[in-house]
Structures are given as structure tokens and as C-alpha cells.
Amino acid sequence: MQSRYFTIHAHPEGTPERDLFELETAELPALAEGEVRVRNTWLSVDPYMRGRMTGVTTYIAPFTLGAPLEGAAIGEVIESRAEAFPTGTKVRHMGGWRDVAQLPAEGCERLPAFDVPEQAYLGVLGMPGMTAWAGLNRIAEMKQGDNVLVSGAAGAVGSLAVQLAKARGGTVVGIAGSQDKLDWLEAHGVKAVSYKGRDAAQLTAALNEACPEGFDVYYENVGGVCLEAALNTLRVGARIAVCGLITGYNEATPSPGPSNLAMVLIRRARMEGFIVFDHWAHYPTFLEEVGPQVVTGRLDHEETVEDGLERTPDAFLKLFEGANRGKMLVRL
């Protein structure tokens, strides 16, 4: 059996071009003992993948040039030499960016049993949902009634963070760009503030208007002007959970840090970065809390879907244009 997959043969500088990604085909070897072959049905593309294209090891190893790219995927086992994963088992794994994946069985996990569409385990009940939950609960230690600010508030992680925060009371403000994202936030009871065309001072004024009391929690997805403005609006003892800094992912040279970092001292704030995989042992707790909310529809989750393996690079690049609302997925 053959597998079609995407690879890159060079490290991009700045925003990747579409022709960086090459679709290739390889004949799969016979299954070894303990391996499974999975036909993928859904692929995830995520901003962190841009860092893996640099050739530099950060909290995760870089992609290998010429080898299949990797990412979270959902699929069905079509051939197995692993007793725990018989043919027909639906699994989640990291053999994405391809139509058929072959991997050791220990690299797969059965999908949980909630009555939700399978792609939910790449979004609201997958890494983005777990990231939103872990950042608010384990890093920012959000309390009932806290005022919460979220940047990238209509993206895969931010759209869940604002809803989880809203359920705890207090004022929740989301920073977003396009009008449809701002409208989505307002429809979900979140005060929406646009960053478009605003410098840090202007964005600070808009945030102060939305929540004059200031924020106890800032959930950071973006960096840049959003971070600078957020620092100006902290309450004493505020907690900042740094999930991502997407505004700088494609910069050829590092941008200067916020000019008002002293606000962390002045407001006696705590700022902590985190990687969701370090908290994955708490995934069952997250599922127990959030899974029923998804099943009943209490927690809304948005998806932006591209169809066909060939569209995977396009879906990935759209992340940096802000073209997605909620989770960006590729349906095979």
C-alpha cells in the first residue's frame, strides 16, 4: 500500500511560501509486530508547527527535511499487528500530513466514548481544548468571579478559553480581528475588542473601556501589541498564562519585547509560559469536566474545514492570516 504525504526540503525564512510543501508518495513496508496502519480521516494543523520547520529544537524536535511532516490526526485502523488495536478501531495519533499512517501501536490512543463527531478530539476535546483548560486552571489558577482577558479569542484555543472563563463569572473580554470573529464573541456574551489598526496605547484605552476594573487573568495567544496593552490593564496579583506568541512566529529577526514589562512588577503579577503536553496527565480530568458540556451543547465549538489532503498546506498557512474561526481542520 502507498502513502501520500507532505514534506519540506528547506527551512523557511519569514512566512512560508506554498511551494515549500511537496506532496510525495511512498510504498509502505510490511507491518512489523506491534504496528498498525491507519487511514486518516481528519488532520490537524496548528501554529506550533511553524517552529518545527526552523530546524531548531525547542520544546519539541524539529521536522526532518525530506521526511513526512507530523501532526495530530484521527483515523481508522485498516491493518494491525497489535492486539489492542484491531481493524476498525478509531484512533488519534501524530501521523498527520498524510493519508495513510503506519506507526507503532503505542503511538495511538482510542477515541474516548463521548457522543461527539470524531474530529472533536482534534479540537474542543483535543489539544486546543486541553490547552485552554490547562492555561486557565493550572497556570492562571482562575477563580470564580475573576475578570479575564483572552487574545486570539476566536481561534481554536481562545474560543474555548473565553467560554470556560465566562462560566466562572466576572467580566470576560476577547481580543480578535475580523468583524465576524468580534460578532461571534459578542454572541457568546464576551466583550469583544479589535486590535486592528490600533497601537498599544489605543488598544489599552479600548480594554479599559471594556473592563474598567482591570484583569485578574490574561490568557496570551498572540504577543506583540496585545501583550503590551494587556500589561497596562492588569490588577494587582494578576496571573498571565502564556500559551503562544503567534505574532512573532514568522519574523526573520526577533521583535523587541514589551516596553512596559515593569507592569509585571508594579502589579505584582505572575507570568508563566506552558506547554500543554506537560499537563497531559490531567487530560482525564479535563474530559470529565468539559466532555459533557460539549455533548449537551453548553460549550460551543467552531471549526474551519479544508477538504482534501492537497489542501493541508493551505489550511496551515491560513492560520497566520487569521482566516480560521475555531479549530482549523483538514477532512480527507
Side-chain angles (χ1 to χ4, degrees):
M1 176 176 284
Q2 291 185 328
S3 174
R4 295 189 303 151
Y5 61 90
F6 275 100
T7 187
I8 60 174
H9 292 271
H11 301 302
E13 294 186 7
T15 303
E17 299 290 339
R18 177 59 177 80
D19 60 10
L20 172 75
F21 302 91
E22 298 185 28
L23 183 58
E24 302 185 12
T25 303
E27 193 74 29
L28 293 171
L31 277 183
E33 186 64 32
E35 285 189 333
V36 293
R37 189 171 288 168
V38 180
R39 186 178 302 283
N40 289 333
T41 52
W42 291 89
L43 308 179
S44 173
V45 289
D46 302 279
Y48 82 89
M49 295 173 175
R50 175 62 183 86
R52 298 192 70 185
M53 296 176 185
T54 62
V56 177
T57 298
T58 55
Y59 62 87
I60 191 170
F63 290 134
T64 300
L65 297 181
L69 298 176
E70 299 172 341
I74 297 290
E76 180 177 335
V77 175
I78 57 174
E79 191 175 344
S80 175
R81 293 193 64 188
E83 186 176 347
F85 294 94
T87 300
T89 306
K90 293 292 185 71
V91 296
R92 179 172 57 191
H93 58 92
M94 288 299 292
W97 289 80
R98 68 197 89 182
D99 55 2
V100 179
Q102 185 165 316
L103 68 163
E106 56 262 29
C108 297
E109 56 179 323
R110 287 175 175 267
L111 296 187
F114 289 104
D115 184 19
V116 297
E118 63 183 16
Q119 71 271 21
Y121 295 107
L122 294 178
V124 62
L125 294 180
M127 184 181 69
M130 177 63 181
T131 302
W133 180 88
L136 290 173
N137 291 284
R138 294 190 50 76
I139 306 302
E141 299 176 341
M142 180 180 59
K143 302 178 182 67
Q144 196 77 26
D146 275 349
N147 294 340
V148 179
L149 174 65
V150 180
S151 60
V157 174
S159 62
L160 304 176
V162 292
Q163 293 181 78
L164 293 173
K166 187 69 179 173
R168 298 279 183 88
T171 298
V172 181
V173 176
I175 302 174
S178 64
Q179 189 59 51
D180 70 311
K181 292 182 178 181
L182 298 171
D183 292 343
W184 183 89
L185 290 167
E186 293 283 356
H188 287 76
V190 177
K191 293 188 177 183
V193 173
S194 176
Y195 67 87
K196 287 289 183 72
R198 285 174 164 156
D199 60 21
Q202 293 166 329
L203 185 53
T204 297
L207 294 177
N208 282 332
E209 182 178 353
C211 184
E213 303 87 1
F215 297 101
D216 303 287
V217 170
Y218 175 43
Y219 196 109
E220 171 66 293
N221 285 305
V222 176
V225 66
C226 294
L227 175 57
E228 189 155 347
L231 290 174
N232 288 330
T233 61
L234 300 179
R235 299 177 82 171
V236 171
R239 292 87 65 200
I240 304 170
V242 182
C243 166
L245 299 164
I246 193 172
T247 191
Y249 287 0
N250 289 314
E251 292 181 345
T253 57
S255 58
S259 62
N260 58 342
L261 193 58
M263 293 305 296
V264 173
L265 173 62
I266 294 168
R267 296 289 186 251
R268 283 84 90 196
R270 172 167 56 83
M271 184 174 182
E272 181 178 349
F274 74 102
I275 304 301
V276 68
F277 302 117
D278 294 338
H279 301 270
W280 207 256
H282 300 275
Y283 183 67
T285 304
F286 157 76
L287 275 183
E288 183 180 353
E289 177 183 329
V290 178
Q293 298 183 55
V294 178
V295 172
T296 60
R298 283 181 56 204
L299 188 64
D300 188 17
H301 57 103
E302 297 287 312
E303 296 173 350
T304 302
V305 177
E306 294 284 334
D307 281 297
L309 178 66
E310 294 79 4
R311 295 291 298 171
T312 308
D314 304 276
F316 171 71
L317 293 174
K318 285 183 177 182
L319 293 172
F320 302 98
E321 301 169 2
N324 62 301
R325 193 168 74 193
K327 183 74 186 85
M328 178 66 87
L329 295 164
V330 179
R331 177 169 47 202
L332 303 188

